[in-house]
Amino acid sequence: MGEPEFRATGVRIGKRLRSLTRAGQVRISDGRLELLTSYGSEIDSAPVQAVRASKPWFGPDDRATADLNGQRYLLTLGDHDPAPGEPGPPAARRFIEAVRRAAGRGD
């Protein structure tokens, strides 16, 4: 397995009104998007071409939605990219761009 194309830790992952994890991980690697708990167990995964990532119409800038396998997940990432060397999740905008780039839908 190669180096992940995108990785975020400390991500709040929810489905509808239910929080699945408050410190989860989002990873794009080898053409797959994976949503993981803080312990590394898989919540859901799908080929990145089958994933739709977007920004909710209303809400803070740190949120993104990911539709995979017929489920919609709400991801709360950072509202801005952390400084180099600093911990924290990247901005939601970077996640959306990474999904589109990995799927070959936007350059």
Side-chain angles (χ1 to χ4, degrees):
M1 188 152 87
E3 185 69 24
E5 299 164 32
F6 178 85
R7 184 180 178 139
T9 58
V11 178
R12 179 180 291 249
I13 302 172
K15 188 161 74 171
R16 298 191 186 231
L17 296 175
R18 188 172 143 223
S19 177
L20 301 175
T21 183
R22 292 191 327 220
Q25 302 173 45
V26 176
R27 184 170 52 203
I28 299 174
S29 181
D30 296 330
R32 287 190 73 78
L33 171 71
E34 299 173 309
L35 303 177
L36 308 169
T37 66
S38 56
Y39 298 108
S41 42
E42 185 176 293
I43 295 170
D44 206 346
S45 71
V48 77
Q49 288 85 5
V51 173
R52 192 176 70 174
S54 61
K55 180 126 182 40
W57 284 16
F58 302 104
D61 287 338
D62 63 347
R63 294 203 178 152
T65 59
D67 295 343
L68 45 127
N69 298 325
Q71 300 291 324
R72 175 168 287 176
Y73 295 93
L74 179 63
L75 311 175
T76 304
L77 297 112
D79 56 357
H80 62 279
D81 290 327
E86 294 294 315
R93 176 182 42 78
R94 246 187 70 216
F95 163 71
I96 294 167
E97 290 169 2
V99 169
R100 290 181 181 152
R101 196 171 43 250
R105 288 192 294 247
D107 290 323

